[in-house]
Amino acid sequence: MESSLRSAQWYAGDDRNAYIHRAWMRRGVPDSAFEGRPQIAIANTASDLTPCNAHLDEVSRSVQNGVYEAGGIPLDLPVVSLGETNVRPTAMLWRNMAAMATEEMLRANPIDGVVLLGGCDKTIPSLLMAAASVDLPAVVVPGGPMATGTFRGEPLGCGTDVWRLSEEVRAGTLSQKAFLESEQATIRSRGHCNTMGTASTMALVAEALGTTIPGLAGTPAIDSRLLKAAHESGRLVVRLVAEGRTPSSLLTKGSFHNAIVALSAIGGSTNAVVHLLAIAGRAGIELTLDDFDRIGAEVPLLVNLRPAGQYLMDDLQRAGGFLAVLREVRDLLDPEALTVTGRPLVDHLDEARIWDPQVITPRSDPLQPNAGITVLRGSLAPAGAIIKPAAASPRLLQHRGRAVVFDSIEDFSARIDDPDLDIDADSVMVLRGCGPKGYPGMPEVSNMPLPKKLLEQGVRDMVRVCDGRMSGTAYGTVVLHVAPEAAAGGPLALVRTGDWIVLDVRARRIDLDVPADELARRLPTEATVRGFAAPRRGWERLYVDHVQGAETGADLDFLVGSSGPRVSRESH
Ligand code: FES
């Protein structure tokens, strides 16, 4: 029977090639599997080494049932998985590789549509980048946050509280023994981090982009409704294939507008900036750093979750969920941006309600009136840098201080607790060599721990400046993603300890207060970070040679854009 499916280019016909493609795939499936039924990949990031995603095999089974029920053929496709806490030097080094591998495997195989199973920080971004580039009908199923653990009667936000507790040990207010006891309580169940870290943020942002069933993102990993939604997502992708609805027909500038509004309203991770820029780049949508400031700056903060707030992801669900947040900012959303259901995102908000205004505050009483990520520029960051004011100390948002410079995270670790280090609460800590090229991979090191001697004096925040990223579960007055990065010759490479740095978030500026002629004298010898040696082979080599700056999403230059679902020449 004639079929317009992409997979028919493998399976249709009576020739030897079609015979080969079908014969090896039979595995007991009925003949109809090769006669016009859509072949649906389940791009599955389950892995024992990505503990946040380890349960996705069970989620995959629900997707498979939905695909079968709707007439499709589900096909498990294990893809590169990145466990945030294990992968060295940083999972971000491998995000583009994961995206490239998934894109290529979807294109290389007889696949008509895909369900994307992700969770831990880089997995949903890499899957969305892949889907945008291969442009096959796609639905995201986020694996959901873990249940909240408690320690000594207090809820623990995984990712966030480990920083707080370790700072308390360094400040002498918590014993080492108690700190280690808390380790057992941090990860209570399957699922990803339960704070408003990068995993939670990217799941919600994926929903705001329209790529999940509305109301799914944020469903806890242990909640049976996750499996129900996974089943529905399997059914839905079969429909998307039948209707020819691909990411390029769904994602628009309006979708990214909605993602930025959502990012601000939830007080989401700064990592979403670099991921959304990369996804937009793959989708061929012009999105700039300034769009985050322009669209997000005036959006109120409505979600009281750690690290900036008090509660955790299962509280968000109990309080009404993500759709209740979006309903509050409905007038700020693009009314036409579609979801995978075929209807605009705003059409899915009528039923949503806030059940606990402590967790989701109404628009009339926001936690902060302006919650967006602020984009800074100036002589220290000509191509841009970002700060999350909601996670910063208000008193430090305008600050002038002397730089204390560290050339690498190892240099920082070796010297930060030296009692003789010349540093005080007004100093500006500068860490460089942590950008995409410099590390390589742009690790989450920007939220440098404070010097022990200042912690003991009660100091809890200082201005920090770095060309790396910051964990979405961290907080503090941190200027990050400074671009161009030091290893690419940015002005950050020229800063010396003792230089004055001026931060003015209201004016959206970060400046190095050093005369231009003095900076010119420092060139070119200091324009390269000490210790930076380009890797000689492998992915790192490819990455360093081709990675772009954080201000455009840190994708590889040759991966920007889409190659679509074209079918390549025959293999035999
Ligand atoms: Fe996986 Fe936090 S470590 S989401």
Side-chain angles (χ1 to χ4, degrees), residues 130-201:
S133 284
V134 74
D135 204 28
L136 286 168
V139 178
V140 176
V141 178
M146 63 182 72
T148 300
T150 59
F151 178 61
R152 296 184 169 179
E154 296 292 327
L156 279 178
C158 54
T160 292
D161 281 295
V162 64
W163 296 105
R164 178 179 60 78
L165 295 171
S166 67
E167 292 289 271
E168 285 191 23
V169 172
R170 297 176 73 237
T173 54
L174 185 76
S175 74
Q176 180 71 13
K177 183 168 175 290
F179 175 66
L180 290 178
E181 273 170 32
S182 73
E183 178 186 325
Q184 306 279 343
T186 287
I187 306 302
R188 184 171 153 224
S189 80
R190 57 172 62 189
H192 61 67
C193 288
N194 58 1
T195 46
M196 189 54 79
T198 305
S200 302
T201 299

Side-chain angles (χ1 to χ4, degrees), residues 50 52-53 82-85 119-121 158-159 191-193 198-200 473:
T50 309
C52 305
N53 295 15
L82 297 169
E84 196 63 27
T85 51
C120 200
D121 293 16
C158 54
H192 61 67
C193 288
T198 305
S200 302
T473 55

Side-chain angles (χ1 to χ4, degrees), residues 9-22 570:
Q9 296 187 56
W10 278 259
Y11 297 135
D14 296 327
D15 63 8
R16 182 202 61 198
N17 288 343
Y19 169 116
I20 291 171
H21 293 307
R22 287 190 303 260
E570 188 52 273

